[in-house]
Amino acid sequence: MSEQYEYVPHRLLRRRVRDIASGAEGELMAVINENVSDSVAHERWMELAYIRDASGREFTTAASNVEPAPDRPKTTVGRRDPRSA
């Protein structure tokens, strides 16, 4: 039996991403090709994305479910628009 996992390069590593399956967002920490089989006889490999959310917890999803997170609207706190009365 071969290794249980291997790291896979990904263009969005260390960037803000969105899991399209759940809608959750966070930072893509790693993509790992893992043997997710529960049987030694029939290996099943899958690329899993590890995403860290704002609370610091990590969750996994299929790497194919990862997309760049949409940009958040920029808001200015405590400043008024000088054109408003």
Side-chain angles (χ1 to χ4, degrees):
M1 187 166 165
S2 59
E3 290 290 324
Q4 288 294 107
Y5 63 90
E6 68 178 326
Y7 286 88
V8 177
H10 195 281
R11 67 184 178 89
L12 296 173
L13 280 175
R14 299 290 181 192
R15 302 195 61 198
R16 187 158 183 76
V17 296
R18 179 177 170 270
D19 171 21
I20 61 174
S22 68
E25 294 183 7
E27 182 179 349
L28 181 61
M29 304 307 292
V31 175
I32 300 176
N33 191 23
E34 291 190 41
N35 181 358
V36 294
S37 173
D38 59 356
S39 167
V40 177
H42 302 294
E43 290 184 356
R44 182 169 177 258
W45 291 81
M46 183 175 180
E47 286 189 359
L48 294 177
Y50 285 76
I51 301 171
R52 182 175 294 159
D53 67 13
S55 72
R57 292 186 181 198
E58 289 189 8
F59 63 94
T60 59
T61 189
S64 58
N65 286 346
V66 175
E67 67 181 13
D71 290 335
R72 293 184 177 181
K74 295 181 180 177
T75 59
T76 307
V77 177
R79 298 183 81 188
R80 288 180 36 169
D81 184 347
R83 296 172 291 182
S84 65

